[in-house]
């Protein structure tokens, strides 16, 4: 598929779509979300692009909806479907469904609809879908605890491009490498010449590291899962409750996701948690340990009587000795106990292990002193030890988890995509259930509808009276005002449009004509002027010409001009439609006059009025074949005649009735 061959995709849009991993595949599967995620493409435009791509793929010329009223019916149906979707993706995806005359396109959607109607979508599925969104790409990741090192400028350039998440440093020799190791938790040397070189710190020589950037930067993998964690978890739940097939181990995937934070950091690792807490709590723990030591010494000093004879006092004074010397001579045991308590607190508070505990012991002095103060140099080394251990553990955990998930990225995309598409199916399924739908047949000329209902009515579906109606070619439909003529046209239009979308129709059974265009002319708001009448006649002249097979629905065309002329114009239109082999239903209050004006036989059907009860019109909604329906004025006159119990005006009303 050539992108620029699709209407709506010019050079700039093609360039923008090239940022997708496979724009053609995204268009072929109708992935509105992926197209809308491209910078500069709105959701509305993404829908149009996808719809145009579908038409291009099926060589579909479009033009099925030939009038504004037909477009309005389609918009109403699409809204009914979209409002039953749970996700934004589902609603946008439904907008790519459109009526077509191309069998392959209709069959494609029909397969989705038939599958949807065999599934049962309960509340658990809809609940699971609520957290589902299309996957997004995370923002740029920057890693500061490790770097790459090389002596070669070309390697430096390749590394900078391949791994933008890491700092890349040019070094001249092993000494410079050692300097780097003091500033980073991990240094990866890219040159073989450093093999065997021993420097302090975590320095690795990996000449082939650039061949697999994900191993160098596991954060790249984890950032994707962190940014999309909630949606992936929702997709897992959708697969579980809907019993969808999946090649992934969903329990294992869920377990891995539970260890990733939204920012891509790793949690649920006991050792990493211990080290991170030790680094964070170090200052507070040291301060508390100091206080413990000093409190114990203060108490010991206050409770001890120290006797110093004159000669000893003179000797201490000559040496410039103070309290520390007295502590060393008189309170050695108490000092050792206070320091031991401080060290124990530091080790226990931070849960230090082995070498960490040994380093912690150096934070407090061996020689007696008061007050007890930390050794800043030893504390700095302890903090460095803990920080390095934390960063190394974090790197190890990230690498292990990224290794588990790196190969699952594409299957996870499929996991989310299937869950999103399931929302489209459940929307179709709900629509079919709400309106008691079936799949329609498309064949021949004319239509046969049993138990049809217009889904566009404001009433609840169960309150809509079903209608049976069949037309072989062209028919006039008569009936009283508010008897349901326009609703019948809406029903015919809706069922025909849905059938040509490949979607279920609200009926017990239905066959619609296999057409290329639907022309639905709504009722005019008043008599047209000469110019507007001329335009209308031109439209019908084109309509009645040969070419595309059509369904024509017309609502009270007589309002275009004077009643006498209207009947003649409608008669001429009917004759032309009969010759063009279109299927047509024309609603008119002038049915009798039109039939008289027609030079060829024309079917006149009618919605039978049963009478007035308490001022409310009672009708039989299904049109009767070859029945000219009575008008509302006739019903009113009949009611008045029957209600004249005294007989004084009966003759007047009976005379009026004879005029009808």
């Amino acid at each position: 598929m050539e992108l620029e061959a699709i209407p709506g995709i010019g050079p700039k849009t093609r360039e923008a779509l090239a940022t997708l991993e496979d724009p053609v595949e995204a268009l072929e599967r109708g992935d509105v979300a992926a197209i809308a995620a491209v910078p500069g493409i709105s959701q509305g435009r993404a829908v149009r692009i996808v719809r145009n791509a579908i038409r291009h793929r099926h060589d579909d010329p479009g033009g099925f909806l030939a009038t504004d009223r037909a477009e309005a019916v389609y918009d109403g149906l699409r809204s009914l479907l979209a409002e039953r979707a749970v996700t934004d993706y589902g609603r946008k995806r439904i907008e790519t469904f459109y009526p077509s005359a191309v069998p392959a396109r209709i069959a494609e959607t029909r397969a989705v609809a038939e599958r949807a109607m065999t599934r049962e979508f309960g509340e658990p599925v809809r609940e699971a879908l609520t957290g589902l969104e299309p996957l997004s790409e995370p923002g740029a990741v920057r890693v500061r605890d490790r770097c790459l090192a090389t002596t070669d400028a070309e390697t430096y350039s390749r590394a900078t491009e391949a791994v933008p998440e890491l700092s890349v440093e040019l070094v001249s020799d092993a000494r410079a490498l050692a300097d780097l190791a003091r500033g980073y938790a991990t240094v990866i040397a890219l040159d073989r010449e450093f093999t065997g070189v021993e420097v302090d710190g975590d320095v690795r020589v990996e000449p082939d590291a650039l061949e697999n950037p994900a191993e160098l930067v596991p954060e790249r993998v984890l950032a994707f899962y962190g940014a999309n964690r909630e949606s992936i978890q929702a997709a897992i739940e959708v697969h579980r409750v809907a019993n969808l097939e999946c090649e992934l181990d969903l329990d294992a995937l869920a377990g891995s996701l539970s260890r990733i934070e939204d920012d891509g950091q790793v949690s649920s690792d006991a050792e990493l948690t211990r080290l991170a807490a030790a680094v964070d709590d170090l200052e507070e723990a040291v301060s508390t340990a100091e206080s413990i030591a000093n409190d114990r010494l203060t108490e010991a000093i206050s409770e001890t009587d120290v006797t110093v004879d004159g000669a000893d006092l003179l000797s201490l004074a000559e040496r410039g000795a103070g309290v520390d010397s007295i502590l060393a001579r008189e309170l050695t045991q108490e000092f050792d106990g206070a320091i031991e308590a401080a060290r124990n607190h530091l080790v226990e508070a931070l849960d230090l292990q082995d070498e960490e505990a040994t380093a912690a012991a150096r934070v407090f002095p061996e020689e007696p002193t008061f007050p007890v103060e930390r050794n800043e140099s030893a504390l700095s080394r302890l903090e460095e030890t803990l920080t390095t251990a934390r960063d190394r553990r974090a790197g190890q955990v990230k690498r292990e988890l990224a290794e588990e998930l790196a190969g699952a990225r594409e299957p996870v995309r499929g996991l989310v995509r299937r869950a999103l598409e399931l929302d489209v199916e459940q929307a179709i399924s709900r629509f079919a259930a709400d309106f008691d739908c079936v799949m329609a047949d498309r064949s021949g000329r004319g239509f046969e509808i049993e138990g049809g209902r217009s889904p566009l009515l404001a009433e609840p579906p169960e309150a809509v009276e079903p209608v049976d109606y069949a037309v072989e070619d062209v028919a006039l439909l008569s009936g009283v005002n508010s008897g349901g003529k326009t609703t019948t046209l809406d029903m015919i239009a809706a069922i025909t449009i849905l059938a040509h979308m490949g979607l279920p129709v609200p009926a017990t059974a239905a066959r619609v004509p296999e057409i290329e265009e639907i022309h639905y002319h709504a009722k005019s708001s008043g008599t047209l002027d000469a110019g507007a009448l001329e335009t209308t006649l031109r439209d019908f002249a084109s309509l009645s010409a040969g070419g595309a097979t059509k369904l024509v629905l017309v609502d009270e065309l007589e309002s275009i001009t004077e009643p006498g002329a209207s009947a003649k114009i409608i008669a001429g239109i009917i004759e032309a439609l009969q010759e063009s082999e279109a299927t047509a239903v024309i609603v008119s209050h002038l049915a009798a006059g039109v039939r008289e004006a027609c030079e060829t036989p024309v079917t006149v059907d009618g919605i039978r009025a049963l009478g007035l009860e308490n001022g409310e019109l009672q009708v039989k909604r299904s049109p009767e074949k070859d029945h000219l329906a009575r008008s509302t004025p006739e019903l009113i006159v009949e009611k008045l005649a029957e209600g004249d119990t005294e007989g004084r005006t009966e003759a007047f009303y009976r005379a009026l009735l004879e005029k009808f």
Side-chain angles (χ1 to χ4, degrees):
M1 181 189 293
E2 291 292 333
L3 292 180
E4 288 192 42
I6 299 171
I9 298 182
K12 289 184 178 179
T13 303
R14 179 184 55 76
E15 186 176 342
L17 290 172
T19 60
L20 293 174
E21 187 172 340
D22 190 341
V24 172
E25 195 266 341
L27 287 170
E28 286 182 344
R29 69 170 182 262
D31 194 341
V32 175
I35 305 303
V38 173
I41 298 181
S42 66
Q43 284 195 337
R45 187 162 174 236
V47 169
R48 292 192 295 274
I49 289 173
V50 170
R51 201 156 46 204
N52 288 341
I54 294 170
R55 284 200 170 104
H56 176 73
R57 178 159 52 89
H58 289 287
D59 196 21
D60 186 346
F64 185 90
L65 302 167
T67 62
D68 291 344
R69 180 56 189 163
E71 286 275 6
V73 171
Y74 164 63
D75 289 342
L77 295 171
R78 192 175 57 190
S79 295
L80 288 171
L81 283 159
E83 69 187 26
R84 285 162 171 78
V86 175
T87 65
D88 286 338
Y89 173 87
R91 287 184 279 274
K92 292 300 178 185
R93 181 77 170 86
I94 283 168
E95 290 189 30
T96 66
F97 293 173
Y98 65 90
S100 172
V102 178
R105 170 55 186 168
I106 297 170
E108 187 175 70
T109 308
R110 186 178 177 115
V112 175
E114 288 176 338
R115 184 169 62 248
M117 293 174 70
T118 63
R119 294 183 184 273
E120 290 197 13
F121 297 95
E123 191 57 36
V125 173
R126 287 190 284 274
E127 182 66 26
L129 286 167
T130 56
L132 192 64
E133 293 182 357
L135 298 178
S136 61
E137 290 301 322
V141 176
R142 189 67 183 170
V143 180
R144 304 188 184 279
D145 66 346
R146 76 194 78 108
C147 74
L148 303 177
T150 180
T151 60
D152 180 64
E154 184 178 340
T155 303
Y156 173 89
S157 179
R158 285 196 302 118
T160 302
E161 182 177 351
V163 194
E165 298 91 344
L166 298 182
S167 292
V168 183
E169 305 288 345
L170 277 170
V171 295
S172 55
D173 51 28
R175 184 189 298 271
L177 194 65
D179 289 340
L180 275 182
R182 284 191 286 272
Y184 290 93
T186 302
V187 176
I188 298 99
L190 301 175
D191 304 323
R192 295 185 185 280
E193 65 188 72
F194 288 118
T195 302
V197 172
E198 293 186 6
V199 296
D200 292 336
D202 184 14
V203 178
R204 306 172 192 168
V205 181
E206 299 180 11
D208 300 326
L210 295 181
E211 295 179 6
N212 192 348
E215 289 187 5
L216 287 175
V217 193
E219 290 87 353
R220 182 184 294 183
V221 175
L222 299 180
F224 168 80
Y225 286 96
N228 295 291
R229 185 182 61 166
E230 290 186 7
S231 189
I232 298 171
Q233 288 172 331
I236 291 172
E237 185 63 16
V238 168
H239 277 67
R240 284 172 172 164
V241 298
N243 294 317
L244 296 181
E245 292 184 3
C246 181
E247 68 272 30
L248 292 167
D249 183 335
L250 297 182
D251 291 338
L253 178 59
S256 297
L257 287 174
S258 69
R259 300 175 59 197
I260 303 175
E261 304 292 344
D262 290 346
D263 60 358
Q265 296 301 312
V266 178
S267 61
S268 301
D269 180 80
E271 178 64 2
L272 179 57
T273 299
R274 182 188 72 82
L275 290 168
V279 172
D280 292 342
D281 299 341
L282 179 60
E283 176 60 34
E284 182 181 350
V286 170
S287 296
T288 302
E290 281 179 334
S291 297
I292 289 171
N294 286 318
D295 289 346
R296 289 189 60 163
L297 283 175
T298 298
E299 183 179 356
I301 292 171
S302 66
E303 294 178 355
T304 302
D305 293 329
V306 178
T307 302
V308 182
D309 61 28
D312 288 341
L313 181 60
L314 182 60
S315 175
L316 289 171
E318 288 176 349
R319 296 201 306 269
V323 177
D324 291 352
S325 296
I326 297 174
L327 282 174
R329 199 182 78 170
E330 301 290 337
L331 298 172
T332 300
Q333 186 174 352
E334 286 79 0
F335 177 80
D336 290 344
I339 294 300
E340 184 68 19
R343 290 169 174 168
N344 288 340
H345 172 78
L346 189 58
V347 170
E348 291 173 5
L350 301 181
D351 192 17
L352 301 181
Q353 310 291 324
D354 303 327
E355 294 181 3
E356 302 163 357
T358 302
R362 301 189 187 102
V363 173
F364 298 103
E366 295 285 347
E367 297 299 323
T369 183
F370 184 80
V372 173
E373 294 181 350
R374 70 189 73 180
N375 182 324
E376 292 292 351
S377 177
L379 177 59
S380 179
R381 287 193 294 274
L382 174 60
E383 183 176 16
E384 182 179 341
T385 297
L386 292 173
T387 301
T388 300
R390 178 200 63 188
D391 292 344
R392 287 177 180 171
R393 180 60 184 176
Q396 178 187 349
V397 171
K398 287 177 181 178
R399 285 192 297 274
E400 291 172 354
L401 189 54
E403 186 177 352
E404 290 177 20
L405 293 171
R409 188 158 175 164
E410 284 310 307
V412 163
R413 289 186 185 278
L415 178 88
V416 174
R417 191 158 51 241
R418 282 192 301 274
L420 288 167
E421 287 298 324
L422 190 73
D423 186 32
V424 178
E425 290 189 23
Q426 78 83 28
I428 295 172
S429 177
R430 287 183 67 189
F431 177 86
D434 289 347
F435 293 100
D436 199 15
C437 294
V438 297
M439 300 304 296
D441 294 327
R442 294 169 45 258
S443 62
R445 185 183 182 188
F447 59 83
E448 299 175 69
I449 298 171
E450 296 179 17
R453 294 165 303 282
S454 171
L456 304 174
L457 292 171
E459 290 86 349
E462 61 273 12
V464 177
E465 185 179 335
V467 169
D468 299 334
Y469 192 32
V471 170
E472 293 183 5
D473 42 37
V474 180
L476 275 167
L477 180 59
S478 61
V480 297
N481 289 331
S482 301
K485 300 185 299 299
T486 299
T487 300
T488 299
L489 291 187
D490 285 347
M491 177 199 71
I492 298 167
I495 288 175
T496 303
I497 289 171
L498 286 167
H500 283 79
M501 292 172 74
L503 296 175
V505 304
T508 303
R511 180 190 63 79
V512 299
E514 196 170 355
I515 59 171
E516 297 170 86
E517 297 173 3
I518 179 170
H519 296 254
Y520 187 175
H521 293 268
K523 187 187 304 182
S524 174
S525 58
T527 302
L528 304 181
D529 59 28
L533 175 59
E534 181 178 340
T535 300
T536 301
L537 292 176
R538 288 181 183 276
D539 289 343
F540 277 99
S542 174
L543 179 62
S544 60
T549 53
K550 307 175 183 71
L551 171 65
V552 181
L553 304 172
V554 183
D555 197 1
E556 296 188 19
L557 187 59
E558 56 263 27
S559 60
I560 63 173
T561 187
E562 295 86 352
S566 293
K568 296 174 183 177
I569 291 172
I570 295 171
I573 290 172
I574 288 174
E575 291 168 358
L577 289 173
Q578 288 173 331
E579 291 180 4
S580 70
E581 296 189 352
T583 298
V585 178
I586 299 175
V587 168
S588 178
H589 286 290
L590 305 176
V594 171
R595 183 168 55 186
E596 291 179 3
C598 277
E599 296 183 2
T600 57
V602 58
T603 299
V604 176
D605 301 329
I607 296 177
R608 182 181 291 277
L610 303 177
L612 294 168
E613 289 185 11
N614 300 321
E616 294 291 330
L617 179 66
Q618 304 298 312
V619 298
K620 182 180 178 183
R621 298 293 179 183
S622 295
E624 293 188 9
K625 301 303 296 180
D626 300 315
H627 170 71
L628 180 61
R630 295 187 295 171
S631 65
T632 302
E634 182 180 1
L635 292 174
I636 293 172
V637 173
E638 182 180 68
K639 180 182 178 183
L640 291 171
E642 293 173 352
D644 183 14
T645 57
E646 297 182 1
R648 290 182 297 175
T649 56
E650 182 180 2
F652 172 75
Y653 295 134
R654 294 300 176 191
L656 284 180
L657 281 175
E658 291 178 1
K659 300 290 185 183
F660 286 96

